Amino acid sequence: MARIESVDEYLTGFEGAAAERLADLRALSRATAPDATEVVRWNQPAYLHPSGTILFTFSGHRAHATMVFTPSTLGAFLPELADRRTGKGSVQLPYAEPLPTQLLERMIRHRLREHEDDGVLWM
């Protein structure tokens, strides 16, 4: 896989429902964490706190997008994520299902608070 230099470049690699979902995640990320810097880490979009700490990432796959937070952020929302596939800090967002925008906004805000108030760094 070639090294991706920008989020714009990353997004050009997707079409259809995947492209729409990733554009929605980008817009949501920018709106909810406006002071975060958008960068590429591990060949996927990542959002950095002004302190330089990664807040969260997202990526596109064949049938779903994935957002990755810290395990502590994910853990705080596990009851609400019971019907979704999750991993260490990740949540899958199938393209065939509506985006849980309000839940993701709350997760992003929680991640900001846990970093700013509790000093929680990236994994």
Side-chain angles (χ1 to χ4, degrees), residues 89-109:
S90 65
V91 59
Q92 288 186 10
L93 305 162
Y95 302 135
E97 298 176 10
L99 187 65
T101 304
Q102 292 179 351
L103 174 60
L104 294 173
E105 286 173 348
R106 292 190 353 252
M107 291 178 79
I108 292 169
R109 286 189 191 106

Side-chain angles (χ1 to χ4, degrees), residues 64-71 73-94 100 103-104 107 123:
H64 68 274
T66 298
M67 282 198 79
V68 180
F69 298 94
T70 56
T73 290
L74 187 78
F77 293 88
L78 276 179
E80 294 177 76
L81 297 168
D83 62 340
R84 298 190 175 273
R85 296 189 95 173
T86 60
K88 179 179 177 184
S90 65
V91 59
Q92 288 186 10
L93 305 162
L103 174 60
L104 294 173
M107 291 178 79
M123 296 185 238

